[in-house]
Amino acid sequence: MGLAVSDFREVHMEKALLLDAGKCTGCEQCEVACSMINEGVSNPAKSRIKVFNFHDEGRFVPYTCTQCDEAWCMHACPVDAITIALDTGAKVVSDALCVGCKVCTIACPFGTVNYNPSTGKVIKCDLCGGDPACAKACPTGAITWVEAGATGYEKMKSWAKSTDAGARANA
Amino acid sequence: MSWAKRVLRVNLTEGTCKEEPLNMEWADKYLGQRGLATKYLAEEIDPKVDPLSPDNKLIIATGPLTGTAASTGGRWSVITKGALTGAIACSNSGGFFGAELKFAGWDMVIFEGKSPKPVYLLIQDDEAKLMDASQYWGRTVWETEKGLKAEHQDPQIRVASIGQAGEAGVKFAGIVNDLHRAAGRSGVGTVMGSKNLKAVAVRGTKGVAVNDPEAFLKATQEAKAVLAENAVTGEGLPALGTQVLMNVINETGALPTHNHRDVQFDGASNISGEAMLEPRRSDGKPNLTRNGACFGCTIGCGRISTIDPTHYTVKDREQYQIASGGLEYEAAWALGAATGVDDLDALTFANFICNEQGMDPISFGATVGAAMELYEMGVITKEQTGGIDLKFGNAEALTTLAELTGKGEGFGAEIGLGSKLLTEKYGHPDLSMSVKGQEFPAYDSRGIQGMGLTYATSNRGACHLRSYTVASEILGIPEKTDPLSSDGKAGLVIAFQDATGAVDSAGICVFTTFAWSLDNIAPQIDAACEGEWTVDKLLEIGERVWTLERKFNIDAGFTGKDDNLPKRLLKEAAKTGPAEGKVNELGKMLPEYYSLRGWTDDGVPTNETLDRVAL
């Protein structure tokens, strides 16, 4: 086996995709950008990120791989085709090694690794090598590229505001 | 590239689906979508054909930017001879259906003939086949779309279909895709219904390639930044949708009210975009649930709304206690101001029904408004309406008629005639607020002079989207002109008509033009498509498309006499507001328009003009 997760941690300041469904309008610019970068054409059917439309509830929810540290897909792969990209921490599929067995698609609890029938390989988000196209394409800030250790800060901040009873009482 | 370069020709009489190459010579001259499909239609049908006969054809067309990364690149159009108008019809829709058709590898689908029994077209990438639709006939758009996804076990199938309105021959039936986006106007759904074609279901996994991906990404990213920084496309439309206009146009004194008897509506603020944000008493939620964008759109003007669950329209009907397509300005105006109804929930419900049954809320609301005037005059009686008290402002009359019209039942069958035939039938043709049989949209041309010429000359009948001079006359885009003056409006209308002809042929949304000029659009098309695409070339195409549509109408039997407005707008002055005392000065603008267009005094393009635009 190559590098362990712990080796990676020592060398890198990690970033993560932050998905804020409340801001999503369902335009699919993320899917277009993802497929343009990865497939060379605009083709949401081959996008690594998907926007789900819960129509009757009026909700749009973008979702993609969250790059688990101890990734089920990586551990399940029988041919070690899924490895950690050193610069980003992304779990990356090697097309040269992937045999299309789909065990990773079963192992992943979140459904974010999928088989591509036109290549016989699996596809998943690789964080575009550290400059995710989906985040750049999102017009509403529903997908952003932030410090991995701070993905909850905005939400925390909005709750923090409502807990500040003392300041209000003193004012 | 960017065109798929393939046309699917479906003969409904024979039950055949055949592939043919896209005529690239025509693509170079007409770009795509509206322009290119109009060329195909004009070449293939006799303009005098009965719109509802098998000899009419119906074309579903995308543009070269449809399905690409260009902002708003999800537009598609339906081109046919309109059932409501008998004129060239081109109804434009957004949503996701058009992009999906392109992902499957098709630029357009041409439907010809008439199926002996109800069918739907199923397209899965290269495969296309006609399928039995007997289980969907008699069903709504919503039931059909859900049913097709279930039947094929594919939630990602995109569907465009007609509801019961299209089956029942309602003259203003539309084609609805993705549950609440619509090719709504001119009766294109009526034509589809006449062909026994219930739906088109498509799934595409091939994608859309562009000619120069790097240049294209650069051009589209720059153009998206322009949209984001613009006050209309970056702030107004995302915040309030097109409903940002309700209070503005009312204050301008150009909000047609009570079948254009008035130009301002007391209840306007109750049905405005601002009102859609107000939490209601029953559940504390506002009407607006969410902004919903069409494919690829970075503006996101679409409204997703819910109706107050305690409202009379839905309290016992759980199926409508959902979020779905909410009020856009045009629907809010037609269902509201035109009928004098200021109950936001009633309007939202009527709008749901228009989407569910596949009919144009503009023509529906405006026709109800005309019927209300006839009712108040005593021309239509309560006996004839089946007991409906059809007075202005009656929300229950509006919502009841929405359901009846959608099904073609009761007095709804009369509303389904459209205002022209209905007012003729009851002996008052002057009370149809329409041009070429198509009802006006939401701008009174006494208070916005350029819109009078826009309506009178629009090739598909009264329409705001053919030359939206409101942008200049009210919003000051690209520069402010005086809405109360007709001076210079002929040239303004022509400039808007030609630019819009190009935009509508490209696969993008005309709303981008609040921020974009052709200078922003040409580089995107140029990077996406083979060949050289300049602003000048696009303007040439715009004029060519306009002239081709005009020629089609003339060959269909229309003359300069049809470039007219109802007497009310030419003789009855606006009663209140900034336009008080004004009528529309069409008589002054029209001759100048013909002259600038290079048409004869009777509105016929001269041979020199036809040569100049290469027709």
Side-chain angles (χ1 to χ4, degrees):
Chain A
M1 297 285 282
L3 285 163
V5 173
S6 55
D7 295 326
F8 166 76
R9 282 225 181 82
E10 282 166 23
V11 297
H12 199 264
M13 177 68 94
E14 198 171 345
K15 291 186 87 174
L17 283 171
L18 173 58
L19 306 176
D20 182 350
K23 292 179 180 165
C24 179
T25 60
C27 75
E28 298 189 4
Q29 275 284 351
C30 54
E31 298 190 25
V32 171
C34 179
S35 54
M36 282 287 282
I37 291 294
N38 288 295
E39 306 287 328
V41 295
S42 168
N43 189 3
K46 301 287 162 63
S47 173
R48 280 78 170 148
I49 186 165
K50 297 299 288 179
V51 179
F52 294 91
N53 178 356
F54 298 92
H55 176 268
D56 290 1
E57 300 164 45
R59 294 197 295 139
F60 303 101
V61 185
Y63 197 60
T64 188
C65 173
T66 50
Q67 313 293 348
C68 315
D69 260 17
E70 296 295 344
W72 280 268
C73 60
M74 183 172 71
H75 290 306
C77 179
V79 294
D80 291 337
I82 300 178
T83 54
I84 304 170
L86 278 182
D87 47 353
T88 61
K91 311 303 169 295
V92 180
V93 181
S94 163
D95 273 2
L97 297 176
C98 176
V99 294
C101 72
K102 311 178 198 66
V103 168
C104 56
T105 68
I106 300 167
C108 173
F110 311 107
T112 55
V113 193
N114 284 285
Y115 177 67
N116 179 358
S118 39
T119 59
K121 314 284 179 186
V122 295
I123 53 177
K124 70 175 287 300
C125 172
D126 63 0
L127 298 176
C128 294
D131 187 17
C134 55
K136 275 196 292 190
C138 179
T140 61
I143 307 166
T144 48
W145 181 231
V146 300
E147 285 306 321
T151 53
Y153 282 8
E154 278 306 311
K155 220 181 276 182
M156 237 169 124
K157 189 177 165 187
S158 65
W159 276 106
K161 203 174 170 186
S162 61
T163 63
D164 189 17
R168 253 182 284 163
N170 296 336
Chain B
M1 274 189 285
S2 208
W3 295 279
K5 298 186 180 174
R6 296 199 310 164
V7 175
L8 179 62
R9 186 175 293 275
V10 180
N11 187 311
L12 293 160
T13 309
E14 307 287 332
T16 56
C17 299
K18 284 183 185 151
E19 178 188 338
E20 60 186 63
L22 185 72
N23 187 322
M24 291 309 293
E25 202 181 305
W26 290 353
D28 190 58
K29 280 179 77 178
Y30 297 92
L31 190 53
Q33 203 179 349
R34 174 175 161 193
L36 187 53
T38 302
K39 175 65 175 169
Y40 269 89
L41 190 79
E43 291 286 335
E44 293 191 14
I45 73 166
D46 175 357
K48 291 195 162 54
V49 73
D50 174 353
L52 299 180
S53 83
D55 293 333
N56 192 9
K57 297 191 185 185
L58 181 133
I59 304 178
I60 284 174
T62 65
L65 295 184
T66 309
T68 69
S71 182
T72 78
R75 305 304 298 190
W76 62 284
S77 292
V78 180
I79 291 84
T80 185
K81 181 169 173 174
L84 182 67
T85 56
I88 186 80
C90 171
S91 269
N92 185 307
S93 183
F96 297 80
F97 171 84
E100 198 73 21
L101 182 63
K102 199 81 175 287
F103 296 143
W106 304 97
D107 293 303
M108 48 172 98
V109 184
I110 302 174
F111 292 98
E112 42 194 42
K114 174 183 179 175
S115 172
K117 59 181 177 51
V119 289
Y120 70 90
L121 176 68
L122 177 67
I123 301 172
Q124 290 164 313
D125 286 340
D126 295 339
E127 270 182 64
K129 54 192 168 187
L130 287 167
M131 310 279 287
D132 175 32
S134 50
Q135 74 270 39
Y136 301 115
W137 203 254
R139 301 280 179 159
T140 68
V141 164
W142 293 0
E143 289 165 340
T144 302
E145 181 161 337
K146 282 170 190 163
L148 283 166
K149 287 178 178 183
E151 181 186 344
H152 297 286
Q153 297 184 326
D154 187 352
Q156 299 189 83
I157 279 180
R158 304 291 186 180
V159 178
S161 65
I162 56 167
Q164 286 174 289
E167 297 175 19
V170 170
K171 291 282 185 200
F172 44 80
I175 300 170
V176 177
N177 60 292
D178 302 291
L179 301 176
H180 47 74
R181 306 311 308 184
R185 301 223 73 192
S186 312
V188 297
T190 324
V191 174
M192 185 158 157
S194 76
K195 297 189 172 305
N196 270 332
L197 178 64
K198 180 65 180 176
V200 180
V202 57
R203 177 86 169 104
T205 68
K206 297 168 66 173
V208 177
V210 289
N211 198 40
D212 182 344
E214 213 168 297
F216 184 67
L217 280 178
K218 183 170 176 287
T220 51
Q221 273 166 10
E222 283 171 5
K224 282 171 196 169
V226 172
L227 292 178
E229 286 154 18
N230 180 275
V232 177
T233 53
E235 292 168 35
L237 286 174
L240 296 172
T242 53
Q243 274 274 64
V244 68
L245 287 164
M246 183 61 74
N247 288 322
V248 174
I249 301 299
N250 192 43
E251 280 155 27
T252 305
L255 188 71
T257 301
H258 304 128
N259 202 35
H260 286 66
R261 282 200 316 214
D262 301 304
V263 295
Q264 290 181 307
F265 180 40
D266 288 342
S269 66
N270 298 335
I271 61 170
S272 65
E274 290 83 350
M276 289 168 69
L277 302 179
E278 292 291 326
R280 54 197 170 216
R281 223 167 284 163
S282 65
D283 62 358
K285 291 178 183 166
N287 175 281
L288 179 71
T289 306
R290 192 71 175 252
N291 292 3
C294 294
F295 175 84
C297 178
T298 58
I299 303 171
C301 76
R303 306 289 94 178
I304 306 294
S305 286
T306 54
I307 298 166
D308 183 337
T310 65
H311 192 258
Y312 78 89
T313 48
V314 302
K315 66 175 191 291
D316 300 318
R317 303 169 81 182
E318 263 182 39
Q319 73 268 34
Y320 296 111
Q321 294 178 14
I322 57 166
S324 193
L327 292 167
E328 316 292 341
Y329 170 59
E330 288 297 333
W333 160 76
L335 300 169
T339 66
V341 175
D342 69 350
D343 176 339
L344 185 66
D345 288 296
L347 304 195
T348 307
F349 178 76
N351 193 56
F352 274 23
I353 298 299
C354 285
N355 289 331
E356 188 188 28
Q357 292 294 17
M359 56 184 181
D360 172 17
I362 301 180
S363 284
F364 167 71
T367 303
V368 171
M372 284 175 162
E373 182 162 9
L374 292 170
Y375 183 81
E376 294 206 344
M377 289 162 64
V379 175
I380 291 176
T381 66
K382 205 167 182 175
E383 255 173 29
Q384 286 165 317
T385 63
I388 299 169
D389 186 17
L390 198 53
K391 61 182 187 225
F392 281 116
N394 185 350
E396 286 195 49
L398 174 78
T399 53
T400 302
L401 279 176
E403 298 201 69
L404 289 175
T405 305
K407 293 176 187 158
E409 292 173 358
F411 192 71
E414 298 286 275
I415 298 295
L417 294 170
S419 69
K420 182 167 182 276
L421 293 181
L422 179 121
T423 56
E424 273 172 13
K425 183 170 174 180
Y426 289 92
H428 290 270
D430 287 349
L431 293 182
S432 169
M433 295 299 114
S434 64
V435 174
K436 300 182 179 76
Q438 178 157 287
E439 289 74 14
F440 288 120
Y443 307 91
D444 196 295
S445 61
R446 288 165 292 197
I448 309 176
Q449 289 289 320
M451 290 309 283
L453 184 62
T454 287
Y455 297 151
T457 58
S458 165
N459 290 322
R460 70 165 183 172
C463 172
H464 54 301
L465 295 167
R466 289 298 175 270
S467 50
Y468 192 70
T469 60
V470 177
S472 165
E473 296 179 271
I474 303 298
L475 305 173
I477 302 167
E479 55 192 34
K480 186 82 171 76
T481 54
D482 179 2
L484 299 177
S485 167
S486 57
D487 291 345
K489 294 298 162 65
L492 187 73
V493 165
I494 290 171
F496 271 84
Q497 285 173 340
D498 291 352
T500 306
V503 172
D504 285 348
S505 301
I508 54 175
C509 179
V510 74
F511 287 1
T512 58
T513 58
F514 287 117
W516 289 352
S517 67
L518 291 180
D519 289 322
N520 304 101
I521 295 169
Q524 301 184 67
I525 300 175
D526 190 56
C529 301
E530 293 144 51
E532 261 200 70
W533 294 87
T534 61
V535 170
D536 286 346
K537 180 164 175 167
L538 291 177
L539 278 173
E540 277 171 28
I541 286 175
E543 187 184 7
R544 186 175 300 131
V545 172
W546 190 259
T547 312
L548 178 65
E549 291 174 339
R550 177 75 180 184
K551 205 168 159 296
F552 180 95
N553 283 350
I554 288 170
D555 293 343
F558 287 92
T559 69
K561 289 195 181 69
D562 299 298
D563 298 338
N564 208 347
L565 296 173
K567 267 191 203 154
R568 177 162 281 173
L569 298 167
L570 302 173
K571 307 270 187 207
E572 293 176 28
K575 292 174 196 158
T576 62
E580 189 179 338
K582 295 284 290 184
V583 293
N584 186 266
E585 297 168 10
L586 179 67
K588 200 181 125 199
M589 295 182 282
L590 193 61
E592 187 188 354
Y593 174 88
Y594 284 168
S595 158
L596 288 173
R597 275 271 177 225
W599 297 355
T600 67
D601 294 346
D602 302 322
V604 179
T606 61
N607 286 335
E608 295 79 58
T609 300
L610 293 177
D611 282 347
R612 182 166 52 78
V613 300
L615 276 178

